[in-house]
Amino acid sequence: MKLEAVKKKLAKISPSWVGEKHVPSLIRQLNKTFLKSKLYFDSSRYEDLYYKEHAVIVSGQYCPRVMGIPENMIITLSFPKDQKKIKLSKKAARFLELKILRTIYHEYRHKHQQKHRGWNYTKQYRSKTSTPKQRYYGNPDELDAHA
């Protein structure tokens, strides 16, 4: 699926997110919208502190074709554990749309990197006092995908 088509589909459904929504219905709507693509949405919960306008954390994972399993992208929307429903203003719904779009773009970049490299992996940054962020951004593929 072309990225412009992804952008148009998200722009079409994001206004319906305004108001109070059940998390499963939001995930079902996203999966139904991208039914024919290799893009899947799921949800998780977190217990950390959060800002009400930015309560949804969006993350993604590109999975190349492995042993007969077709390639796909999984986009995870993480919601606060203490909320059964999510309440989004018009501005928050637009911001969530942009976060989802940026995550999809990021994963498409990983797809492009993988197709041109095959199974060769790049050298990782090694540090004596390595934090999770240093390991993540020490990967040249991540730097490229975030650029």
Side-chain angles (χ1 to χ4, degrees):
M1 174 175 280
K2 294 188 177 186
L3 293 176
E4 267 311 304
V6 170
K7 188 176 180 179
K8 285 179 184 176
K9 284 185 175 195
L10 281 173
K12 186 176 178 180
I13 65 170
S14 67
S16 69
W17 301 341
V18 176
E20 197 170 69
K21 302 290 177 191
H22 284 280
V23 173
S25 63
L26 184 65
I27 299 300
R28 276 194 304 273
Q29 181 190 31
L30 284 163
N31 280 323
K32 186 177 178 183
T33 301
F34 293 96
L35 188 64
K36 300 286 183 189
S37 67
K38 297 173 184 176
L39 192 57
Y40 304 98
F41 292 85
D42 71 347
S43 65
S44 68
R45 299 286 183 170
Y46 66 90
E47 293 182 13
D48 296 336
L49 297 174
Y50 59 90
Y51 294 105
K52 286 189 177 190
E53 285 292 310
H54 304 285
V56 184
I57 299 170
V58 181
S59 59
Q61 180 180 7
Y62 168 67
C63 306
R65 183 182 174 145
V66 180
M67 296 187 297
I69 300 170
E71 73 172 2
N72 60 67
M73 286 180 212
I74 300 169
I75 307 299
T76 303
L77 278 58
S78 299
F79 298 90
K81 199 169 197 157
D82 63 350
Q83 292 183 350
K84 297 288 182 204
K85 295 181 179 181
I86 191 77
K87 189 172 185 177
L88 297 172
S89 65
K90 188 176 181 180
K91 184 178 177 181
R94 175 74 177 128
F95 188 64
L96 178 58
E97 173 194 341
L98 291 174
K99 287 196 291 187
I100 293 170
L101 188 61
R102 287 183 68 195
T103 303
I104 293 170
Y105 280 14
H106 180 93
E107 298 309 322
Y108 264 92
R109 184 64 191 147
H110 284 311
K111 178 180 177 179
H112 175 76
Q113 292 164 341
Q114 189 69 32
K115 283 195 177 205
H116 292 285
R117 182 183 316 122
W119 294 104
N120 298 326
Y121 291 101
T122 58
K123 186 177 180 182
Q124 300 283 327
Y125 169 76
R126 301 279 184 227
S127 172
K128 291 179 182 161
T129 58
S130 182
T131 65
K133 276 191 176 183
Q134 281 178 321
R135 285 190 297 277
Y136 179 78
Y137 290 114
N139 183 333
D141 283 354
E142 292 301 337
L143 288 176
D144 177 52
H146 278 284

